[in-house]
Amino acid sequence: MTKKLNVGLIGYGFMGRTHSNAYRKVNHFFDVPYEPVLKVVCGLVEDEAKAFAAKWGYESYTTDWRKVIDDKNIDVVDICVPNNVHAEIAIAAAEAGKAICCEKPLALNATQAEEMVEAIEKAGVPNIVSFNYRRVPAVTLAKQLIDEGRLGRIFHYRAVFLQDWTISPNVPQGGMATWRLDVKAAGSGVIGDLLAHCIDTAMWHNGPISDVCAMTETFIKQRTHAETGKVEPVGIDDACTFFCRFENGSLGNFESTRYARGHKALYTFEINGEHASIAWDLHDLHRLSYFDHRDESIVRGWRSVHITDSDMPYMDKWWVPGLQIGYAETFVHQVAEFMENMAQGKPTPPTFRDALATQYVCDAVLASAKKKKWETVKKP
Ligand SMILES: NC(=O)c1ccc[n+]([C@@H]2O[C@H](COP(=O)([O-])OP(=O)(O)OC[C@H]3O[C@@H](n4cnc5c(N)ncnc54)[C@H](O)[C@@H]3O)[C@@H](O)[C@H]2O)c1
């Protein structure tokens, strides 16, 4: 028997679409105890909210997120708005007893994230932060291989996330999508937007990060603000590189930029262990590269595992071996596990508290770059 789960979505942009698609699909592929009902969508522009509601089948729309929180019928508040609005909505939703799915990064900074964790834990509401790359089957399989001890002791964790869409000085700061370039809305640049994903996945795979040493650069110092029309200083980091130490003794090396001409969303990681190594590439997300030194030397080499067989993470829910899934499905996995755990009263990682740990690393990276010194990461 499935119960209805009434969803209030706040934000109908890029993430609003991925989350709506997941709610629409989940019951077709996963046997979960709830059936999401798309009750209300909220966003800044009334006509756009109305059109979104019609396209995705939301029963109603509003431009005031407080109406979503005040609505007694809403069970889950799904936060898909710019980073500077996460905290206010999440805290209000927790106080109203709603389950919460919040987009990443959790907050503008760790101080705000701590307030959110306190409110969520005090209210005891189900919560998840949408670090969706954990739920790419190949990335989940990497976690399984590490946990099984196949890599042995881990020496290195290397991750990059490269884009090239802000190279032109004519890209504005502020406004739909380009709020990412406005430090007041985003909190940081590539650190919170892109490296937060790499950090979340890395700590899930390889445990907590203890110390960081970072450098950042803002290549374009001034941009027109889409809302004021004025040329204003740019406060975000356009690029960031950092080294770190993990608590398990391994070394980390992370890089992100929006100035890597030719790369749209090149998220890659490589993990080198005593016996084996793993590598993954978002542009080829259904493959996991694996090298095992224990193989017989005459056939030893990097193998590219096609993640489609039914014994691989999530793949028994989809098509037949050989046929792959993609980006959109990571959000279906996220919703399915959130609902499954909610029914059983269990937390779904990454929780707000898990995301606070990522926020501490992001804050330490920013502080290290500013001070030009190693920085110790606070523990959640
Ligand atoms: N998990 C991922 O891979 C991923 C990818 C992209 C974005 N994100 C995160 O998702 C969030 C949203 O990003 P996006 O790309 O969807 O942004 P977007 O610009 O495409 O959409 C933002 C939406 O928020 C709405 N909005 C803004 N302020 C509001 C307010 N005060 N009240 C109500 N609605 C408001 C806008 O109307 C718009 O619908 C961000 O936190 C971002 O970091 C995550």
Side-chain angles (χ1 to χ4, degrees), residues 10-19 42-45 48 62-65 79-86 88-89 102-105 130-133 161 175-180 192-193 197 327 331 334:
I10 308 180
Y12 50 68
F14 174 21
M15 282 304 108
R17 292 166 65 223
T18 61
H19 290 217
C42 170
L44 287 180
V45 182
E48 291 175 4
T62 175
T63 54
D64 180 0
W65 61 262
I79 304 172
C80 291
V81 292
N83 310 343
N84 60 327
V85 208
H86 291 186
E88 205 182 357
I89 299 178
C102 184
E103 260 307 333
K104 52 52 62 181
S130 180
F131 282 109
N132 58 302
Y133 291 111
F161 206 140
M176 183 86 164
T178 44
W179 57 263
R180 284 174 175 76
D193 197 31
H197 276 302
Y327 176 73
F331 296 92
Q334 180 170 287

